[in-house]
Amino acid sequence: MRYLRSGPRRLHTQETGAPRAKTVGLRSGEIADRNIRVILEAIRRHGPLTRTELGRHSGLTGPGITNILRRLAEENLVTSNRRSGLGGGATATEFALRPEGAFSIGVKLRRTRGEIVLIDLSGQVHDRVYFDVEPEDGVGAVHAAVRDMVDRHATLPVVGLGIAANDWSDARSEQLSAMSTIARPCVENECTASLLAERTIGSALPEGGLAMIIIDDDVQAGFLIRGIPYSGVHGRAGSIGEMLTGPDNVQLNSVVGFDSLRSRIGDEDFARLLKGEEFSSPSLSQWIREAAGHLLDPIIAMAGFIAPSVVMIGSDLPQGVIEALIHQLSVERRDTSTRPLLTPWISPMRPASFSGGGVALGAALLPFLNTLLLQPASA
C-alpha cells in the first residue's frame, strides 16, 4: 500500500540554541501532501462530507478536492455514498473515513512493563496486550510484542510503529529497526503521546491550554498550548516528580509514584489495581490523601504560570482511584491549615479520557500523524 509520506519525524520543533535556517516556502509536492492531509482530517473530524462541505472546511477548489478524493479512494482511506436530499431534493455524494484503510501499532514502555495496542485510522483499538519487560532488554521486549501483534493481524495494512517512552534513544530505534520488518519507529515521551491522544480523538478540548499529569513509577506533566505539545528545552518541561512538595518538603515521586503506593498497600493489592480492580482499603485511602496533599503544589504552580483550561490526570490506576484523588485535591485546595490562602482560581481537574492516560494510544497515532493526518502545528 502506498502512503503520502514515509519515515518518522518529530511532531514539534524546540529551540536548541542552533541557528535557524531561513524560512522557505513549501515545494509543490509538500503543498499537495498538506492539502491531502487537510481533506482527510476534515473528513475524520466532521464527516461524512460532500464536496461542497469539504470546500468550506478546507478552502480548496472543487477540482482540487475531486483529485484528492480520487487519490484517497485509491488508497482505500475514504468511501463514498449518496446522501438523500431533504424534502425529496437533489442528492449529493458524501465522503466518509474508511477506518480499516490503515492501522498502526503503539507501544508504551516502562522499566518493567509495557502495553501495546493496534488501532485503526479512526483511533478505535482493535487489540491490546500488556507484557513484562526485563529492565536491561527493553528493545527485545518491544520487538517480541510487535512481532506477535503483526503476526496476529498479518492481513491488515499497518502503517507503522509508535513508541512512547521517556528514556528511548536513537540507538535503540536503530537496534529495533534492524530486528523488525516495520520501519523505524516514531518516538515521543509519554506525556506528549497522551496529549496527542486527547487532542486527536479524545474529548473536545476547551479553549486555552491543557495540562496532563501522568502518575506511574514517577510523576510527569505535559502541556498542550494552542493545540501544540510543548516539551521545553531538551524535553525537560513537566519533570514535576523531582519537585520538593508538601509541608514536609519531600520529592513528589517519593510520595505519589508507584513505589510509594506499592509500599503502602502491598504487592498483592498493587497488582490488583494495575489489573483494573476497584476496591477500597484504609491504606489506599491514606495514600490518596498524602498524594493529593503533595500533588496540589505543582498544580498550583501550573495554574499560576500557565493557567490551563483543564488539568487532566492519567494513570494505569482504575478510574475510581483517579476520581477519588481528584476529589481529595478539591478538599486540599480549600484547606487553609496547611496553605495560608484559598485557591479558587485553580484550573478544573478531571481524569484523562483513556485508560493509562492514553499513552499507548497516542503512540499509535504517531505514524498516522507522520504519514496521513495533520500534525499539531498544522491543525
Side-chain angles (χ1 to χ4, degrees), residues 179-370:
M179 301 166 63
S180 175
T181 58
I182 293 184
R184 180 185 173 93
C186 310
V187 181
E188 275 294 355
N189 65 55
E190 292 183 32
C191 278
T192 298
S194 179
L195 288 165
L196 289 172
E198 289 289 348
R199 173 199 165 276
T200 307
I201 55 179
S203 56
L205 294 180
E207 293 293 329
L210 162 68
M212 174 69 71
I213 295 175
I214 299 293
I215 298 175
D216 208 286
D217 297 333
D218 53 9
V219 187
Q220 316 154 49
F223 310 101
L224 197 71
I225 301 175
R226 295 183 179 177
I228 302 173
Y230 176 76
S231 295
V233 177
H234 306 306
R236 292 285 296 168
S239 300
I240 62 174
E242 301 170 12
M243 291 179 61
L244 300 180
T245 59
D248 48 357
N249 201 37
V250 298
Q251 195 176 68
L252 187 65
N253 283 336
S254 67
V255 181
V256 184
F258 276 0
D259 284 343
S260 170
L261 175 58
R262 185 188 294 107
S263 65
R264 172 76 66 177
I265 67 176
D267 291 341
E268 184 176 340
D269 280 349
F270 180 73
R272 290 172 60 195
L273 286 179
L274 290 189
K275 291 179 181 178
E277 292 187 33
E278 298 272 5
F279 65 89
S280 61
S281 72
S283 297
L284 179 58
S285 298
Q286 181 63 26
W287 176 83
I288 289 173
R289 287 192 293 270
E290 292 185 4
H294 289 78
L295 193 57
L296 188 61
D297 284 350
I299 290 177
I300 290 174
M302 291 179 200
F305 285 97
I306 300 177
S309 295
V310 64
V311 175
M312 290 185 169
I313 299 179
S315 178
D316 286 329
L317 299 175
Q319 180 89 351
V321 176
I322 299 301
E323 291 175 349
L325 178 60
I326 290 174
H327 172 74
Q328 187 63 35
L329 283 164
S330 299
V331 173
E332 290 286 335
R333 64 188 288 187
R334 295 191 294 269
D335 183 5
T336 57
S337 63
T338 56
R339 293 174 181 82
L341 52 95
L342 293 171
T343 54
W345 40 267
I346 288 182
S347 308
M349 294 171 280
R350 69 170 187 254
S353 300
F354 308 103
S355 63
V359 174
L361 184 57
L365 287 170
L366 295 175
F368 287 150
L369 293 168
N370 276 279

Side-chain angles (χ1 to χ4, degrees), residues 17-313:
R20 299 180 60 181
K22 292 182 178 179
T23 301
V24 297
L26 295 177
R27 295 186 291 270
S28 59
E30 293 173 326
I31 294 173
D33 175 57
R34 188 184 188 283
N35 288 344
I36 294 172
R37 291 171 182 249
V38 166
I39 293 296
L40 189 60
E41 182 75 2
I43 294 173
R44 188 188 69 81
R45 285 181 178 271
H46 309 290
L49 298 174
T50 65
R51 287 183 177 85
T52 300
E53 291 166 341
L54 281 169
R56 288 198 294 266
H57 281 285
S58 67
L60 300 177
T61 63
I65 292 173
T66 297
N67 291 334
I68 290 172
L69 290 172
R70 183 183 302 114
R71 180 172 175 181
L72 291 175
E74 291 172 353
E75 300 283 356
N76 292 319
L77 298 175
V78 299
T79 183
S80 60
N81 296 287
R82 299 297 292 178
R83 179 192 293 179
S84 299
L86 296 176
T91 62
T93 301
E94 61 181 13
F95 299 86
L97 188 71
R98 188 172 178 269
E100 66 274 20
F103 290 80
S104 180
I105 296 173
V107 174
K108 172 188 174 182
L109 184 66
R110 274 283 166 171
R111 185 172 56 88
T112 60
R113 55 195 165 82
E115 176 187 356
I116 183 169
V117 298
L118 175 77
I119 69 171
D120 64 26
L121 190 53
S122 70
Q124 179 69 33
V125 176
H126 288 253
D127 197 358
R128 185 193 306 268
V129 176
Y130 297 93
F131 58 95
D132 295 327
V133 177
E134 291 293 332
E136 65 278 3
D137 190 28
V139 174
V142 171
H143 173 253
V146 172
R147 181 194 59 211
D148 292 344
M149 182 70 76
V150 170
D151 288 347
R152 283 199 304 276
H153 305 279
T155 61
L156 299 181
V158 176
V159 172
L161 167 67
I163 295 176
N166 294 333
D167 58 354
W168 192 268
S169 65
D170 289 341
R172 299 176 98 185
S173 291
E174 295 291 348
Q175 183 182 351
L176 182 62
S177 297
M179 301 166 63
S180 175
T181 58
I182 293 184
R184 180 185 173 93
C186 310
V187 181
E188 275 294 355
N189 65 55
E190 292 183 32
C191 278
T192 298
S194 179
L195 288 165
L196 289 172
E198 289 289 348
R199 173 199 165 276
T200 307
I201 55 179
S203 56
L205 294 180
E207 293 293 329
L210 162 68
M212 174 69 71
I213 295 175
I214 299 293
I215 298 175
D216 208 286
D217 297 333
D218 53 9
V219 187
Q220 316 154 49
F223 310 101
L224 197 71
I225 301 175
R226 295 183 179 177
I228 302 173
Y230 176 76
S231 295
V233 177
H234 306 306
R236 292 285 296 168
S239 300
I240 62 174
E242 301 170 12
M243 291 179 61
L244 300 180
T245 59
D248 48 357
N249 201 37
V250 298
Q251 195 176 68
L252 187 65
N253 283 336
S254 67
V255 181
V256 184
F258 276 0
D259 284 343
S260 170
L261 175 58
R262 185 188 294 107
S263 65
R264 172 76 66 177
I265 67 176
D267 291 341
E268 184 176 340
D269 280 349
F270 180 73
R272 290 172 60 195
L273 286 179
L274 290 189
K275 291 179 181 178
E277 292 187 33
E278 298 272 5
F279 65 89
S280 61
S281 72
S283 297
L284 179 58
S285 298
Q286 181 63 26
W287 176 83
I288 289 173
R289 287 192 293 270
E290 292 185 4
H294 289 78
L295 193 57
L296 188 61
D297 284 350
I299 290 177
I300 290 174
M302 291 179 200
F305 285 97
I306 300 177
S309 295
V310 64
V311 175
M312 290 185 169
I313 299 179

